[in-house]
Amino acid sequence: PKSAVVGKTWSELNISSALMEYQDAQRELVLQSGSEIKRETPFPTSQGIRHYKYILSPLTNEVGEIDAVISCVQDVTARDALK
């Protein structure tokens, strides 16, 4: 269920830090630059390799300062299988 992952960190979800170091670096880049990042990546799961599209976007407060980064992720494995 969504409640099992929403608002959790990578370590709270027991995802290998080695896999997430790149994601953490991209999040820092968004925080520093204020620019959105869009990428696709393969990711190992218990069902094998899945392919994900993700967007990292800055969230700003009322004075335009970046307070956080939001991540939206979509499983595109089925789409990639059709290629």
Side-chain angles (χ1 to χ4, degrees), residues 41 43 48-53 74-83:
T41 188
F43 191 83
I49 299 293
R50 307 291 296 181
H51 296 268
Y52 294 93
K53 175 172 70 172
Q74 179 183 15
D75 186 337
V76 294
T77 305
R79 180 207 67 191
D80 285 357
L82 297 174
K83 290 182 179 178

Side-chain angles (χ1 to χ4, degrees), residues 26-37 58 66:
Q26 288 190 318
R27 179 182 41 80
E28 267 309 307
L29 182 60
V30 171
L31 281 170
Q32 297 301 315
S33 70
S35 297
E36 181 176 87
I37 293 176
I66 299 172

